[in-house]
Amino acid sequence: MVQDVSQALADLRFHHAASRGLTTQTLFEQDPKRFEHFHAALDDLIYDYSKQRLTAETLDLLFALARAAKLDERRAALFGGEAINITEHRAAMHMALRLMTPGKPMFAQGANVMPEVVAARDKMCVFAQAIRDGVITATNGARFTDVVNIGIGGSDLGPAMAGRALAPFVADHLTLHFVANVDGADLGDTLRKLPLATTLFIVCSKTFTTLETMTNAQSARKAVASALGEQAVGDHFCAVSTQLDKVAAFGIKSDRVFGFWDWVGGRYSIWSAIGLSLAIGIGRDAFEQFLHGAQDVDEHFLSAPLDQNIPVLMGLIGIWNHNFLGLSTQAVIPYDERLGRFPAYLQQLEMESNGKSVTLDGEPVTLSTSPVVFGEPGTNGQHAFFQMLHQGTQPVPIDFLLAATPVRADPRHHHLLAANCFAQSEALMRGRSLADVEAQLHAQGLNSEAIAKLAPHKVFSGNRPSSTFLYKSLTPRMLGRLIALYEHKVFVQGVILNIDSFDQWGVELGKELANRLVPIVADATASTDALDSSTAGLIAGLRAFERG
Ligand code: F6P
C-alpha cells in the first residue's frame, strides 16, 4: 500500500532516532560485504554509496517516501512533456535533445518535438564540423584557430565545464575560450591573447537580453569591427538563442543562428546548440557520443528498479543526509583535474533548481531544500579545505569522482591519484580513535604528559558520509552520463520536496535592483536619497575613490 508523504517522513524520523548511534564504522564491521550490497552500476560506471550512513532499512523507507511522493507519476510527466514547470507553464524536455534513436517521438505539451530537434541538431553539427575542418573560414580565408563562447550561467557553465573535461578530444589547432562576467577584465584579458583574424565568437543566450552577455557581445563586436572592418563581423559571429528576432536585431546572419526552445531550461541546455563551442572543439561524432551518454542515463532512470536506479539513489541519499542527518552541504570532489569546473556546473544545476522555499502549491516547504554545493579537484583540495572535512564540527557529505584509466595523461601518476581518492573516503569513514592515537604516540616515544596534550588534536571522528563514482575513463559518453545522472538526481529531489525545480525566480530581484542602480552608479551627480544608508554610503565611497 502506498503511504502518504507525511507518514513516510514520520517513519524516517522514527528510524533516524532509533538508529542514531549507528556509525559507518559499525556498519562495515557488521556487514563485511557492505560494498556488494550498497553499490550500483551502469555499464562501465560504478556508484559506491556503501560509505553513506544508512542501512537497508533506511533505503526501504526512502523508497517508500519516493513512492508516496509519486515519483513514478512525476517522472512520467517529465518524460511525457507535461508543463511540469508550473510557474512558467513549460515542459522540461532536455531529454529530447539527446534522444538519438531514429524515428522515436518525444512530446512537449502534446507536440512531437523530435523533427525540429533533429533538424536543429543537424544544422548545428554540420556548422560545427565545417568550422573544425576549416571548410567555413575566417574573413581572410584562414581556418579558425580560436572560438570564444560569450554567455553566462547555463549559457556558459556547460560548454566551459565540458570543454575543459574533454580537452584531449578538442582538435589541436583549436582553442576554446569562455567569457561570462560583465567585469571588463574577463573579455579584455581574453581579447588580449586572441588572434582576432582567426577567432569565431559565439553569443549564447536563451533570452538574448542578459546584461552580461549583451554587454560582452557588443564590446567583442566593436573589437572585431575595429580590427578587421565592419564587413568581417558576419563571418566572425554566430549566435545561439530561443529569441531569433532579437538575434536578428543584433545583426547576426540567419544561417549563423542556432535556435532552441523555451522547454529547455538554461542549466539543462548543454545538449542543445548551447553546446556549439564544444561541438566545434570535439567534432560531431564525439558530440553525438556525449548525447548518447545522457540518453543512456535517461533510459536507466526510466527503467532501473529503485534500488538500482543511480539518480534515484543519489537523490534519496541527499534527502536523507540533509533532512535527517542534518548535513546541509554537499561537496563534489573530482579526482580528475579536467572536471575542475564540474562542481561549479553542479552548483547552478542543484542550487538554482532546488534552492526554493515554497511548494508547487505556493505553501512554505517544510523540508530543507538545496544543500550548499561546492568543490574542487582532488588532490588539490586535500591541501586546502580537507582539514575541515576530516575534523570540522559540521560533517560534509562528499561525492568523489575518479576515472580508472587516464586519457592523455602520464599513467604513472594515476595510481597515486586513485590511492589518494580511496584513502580520503576511507579516512572519512573510518576515522582514528583516541586509543589508536595514544598508542601511535606512545610507539613514537612520547611521554604520557605529551600524549595527553597532543592526542585530542589527532583524533578523527570518522563516520563522515561519502559516495564514489568510479568510471572507466572520461570520454564524451561518460561525461554525458555523469551530467545526466546529476540532472535526474535534482529532479528526484524536487519531487520529494514537492517544488518547481525548473524555474529560477530567485535571480530576478537582484537583476531588477541592478538595473535601477546602473544610472545612479554611472552618474556621479545622481541622487542617492531614495536608497538605504548602506547602499548610499557605498555609492558615495565609490564616487570618492573614482574622483581619486
Ligand atoms: O539569471 C539566471 C539565468 O537566467 C540562468 O538561469 C541562465 O542560465 C542564465 O541566467 C543565462 O541566461 P540566458 O541564457 O538567457 O542569457
Side-chain angles (χ1 to χ4, degrees), residues 16 319-329 368 394-395:
H16 172 246
I319 294 283
W320 170 249
N321 284 336
H322 197 173
N323 279 281
F324 298 92
L325 302 187
L327 309 177
S328 56
T329 53
S368 296
Q394 168 72 29

Side-chain angles (χ1 to χ4, degrees), residues 504-535:
Q504 58 284 319
W505 298 106
V507 298
E508 293 305 321
L509 178 59
K511 285 185 192 173
E512 212 177 290
L513 296 191
N515 285 336
R516 191 187 54 150
L517 288 179
V518 166
I520 303 176
V521 170
D523 173 5
T525 64
S527 166
T528 59
D529 291 352
L531 304 177
D532 65 80
S533 65
S534 166
T535 311

Side-chain angles (χ1 to χ4, degrees), residues 207-543:
T207 55
F208 229 71
T209 54
T210 305
L211 169 94
E212 293 88 340
T213 303
M214 293 303 108
T215 308
N216 280 322
Q218 291 292 359
S219 300
R221 190 186 195 287
K222 260 195 208 129
V224 169
S226 87
L228 309 177
E230 185 63 34
Q231 81 296 341
V233 170
D235 290 334
H236 287 256
F237 273 83
C238 58
V240 183
S241 184
T242 58
Q243 301 301 310
L244 303 186
D245 48 336
K246 295 197 177 86
V247 181
F250 184 89
I252 292 175
K253 296 196 230 166
S254 62
D255 60 338
R256 299 250 170 149
V257 179
F258 304 92
F260 61 113
W261 304 271
D262 65 5
W263 42 262
V264 182
R267 53 194 174 275
Y268 299 87
S269 62
I270 175 67
W271 320 105
S272 73
I274 291 289
L276 177 58
S277 55
L278 177 68
I280 294 172
I282 66 177
R284 179 177 192 150
D285 290 350
F287 187 77
E288 288 183 350
Q289 281 303 307
F290 173 67
L291 301 183
H292 272 293
Q295 187 187 357
D296 296 340
V297 170
D298 292 338
E299 287 165 0
H300 168 85
F301 181 47
L302 280 169
S303 63
L306 294 185
D307 62 350
Q308 285 156 49
N309 197 310
I310 300 176
V312 170
L313 290 163
M314 291 165 72
L316 294 177
I317 288 169
I319 294 283
W320 170 249
N321 284 336
H322 197 173
N323 279 281
F324 298 92
L325 302 187
L327 309 177
S328 56
T329 53
Q330 172 69 56
V332 180
I333 312 289
Y335 275 70
D336 201 321
E337 179 58 29
R338 296 199 188 99
L339 282 178
R341 293 293 282 161
F342 197 50
Y345 178 82
L346 295 182
Q347 260 169 354
Q348 186 192 17
L349 180 61
E350 300 215 12
M351 295 169 81
E352 198 170 79
S353 298
N354 285 347
K356 310 284 166 66
S357 295
V358 294
T359 64
L360 290 169
D361 304 322
E363 297 297 324
V365 72
T366 50
L367 294 169
S368 296
T369 58
S370 172
V372 176
V373 178
F374 74 100
E376 276 291 316
T379 58
N380 302 19
Q382 289 174 213
H383 302 276
F385 56 89
F386 270 47
Q387 163 64 40
M388 180 271 187
L389 302 186
H390 286 287
Q391 288 188 317
T393 48
Q394 168 72 29
V396 177
I398 303 174
D399 280 355
F400 291 102
L401 295 103
L402 175 73
T405 56
V407 181
R408 207 181 67 192
D410 187 340
R412 290 169 303 178
H413 291 220
H414 206 71
H415 286 149
L416 300 175
L417 185 72
N420 269 279
C421 178
F422 300 150
Q424 290 302 320
S425 66
E426 187 186 351
L428 289 159
M429 178 272 282
R430 195 185 286 282
R432 176 166 281 163
S433 69
L434 182 63
D436 278 359
V437 174
E438 286 171 344
Q440 199 183 45
L441 294 178
H442 185 72
Q444 286 167 10
L446 271 72
N447 63 33
S448 341
E449 199 190 336
I451 291 175
K453 268 197 182 150
L454 186 55
H457 300 275
K458 300 189 85 164
V459 169
F460 292 70
S461 65
N463 195 27
R464 292 176 182 235
S466 70
S467 298
T468 300
F469 293 88
L470 176 67
Y471 41 90
K472 188 152 188 290
S473 63
L474 190 60
T475 57
R477 192 161 188 150
M478 188 55 71
L479 182 67
R481 286 181 183 167
L482 288 172
I483 301 171
L485 284 173
Y486 278 94
E487 284 180 351
H488 291 318
K489 165 204 167 173
V490 166
F491 172 76
V492 168
Q493 295 189 333
V495 169
I496 304 294
L497 299 166
N498 195 29
I499 58 176
D500 187 337
S501 298
F502 296 101
D503 61 12
Q504 58 284 319
W505 298 106
V507 298
E508 293 305 321
L509 178 59
K511 285 185 192 173
E512 212 177 290
L513 296 191
N515 285 336
R516 191 187 54 150
L517 288 179
V518 166
I520 303 176
V521 170
D523 173 5
T525 64
S527 166
T528 59
D529 291 352
L531 304 177
D532 65 80
S533 65
S534 166
T535 311
L538 290 167
I539 291 175
L542 182 88
R543 288 174 180 172

Side-chain angles (χ1 to χ4, degrees), residues 46-61:
I46 293 170
Y47 174 56
D48 169 25
Y49 57 97
S50 59
K51 294 191 185 92
Q52 293 290 341
R53 215 187 287 167
L54 47 74
T55 63
E57 189 188 350
T58 321
L59 281 181
D60 284 344
L61 292 169

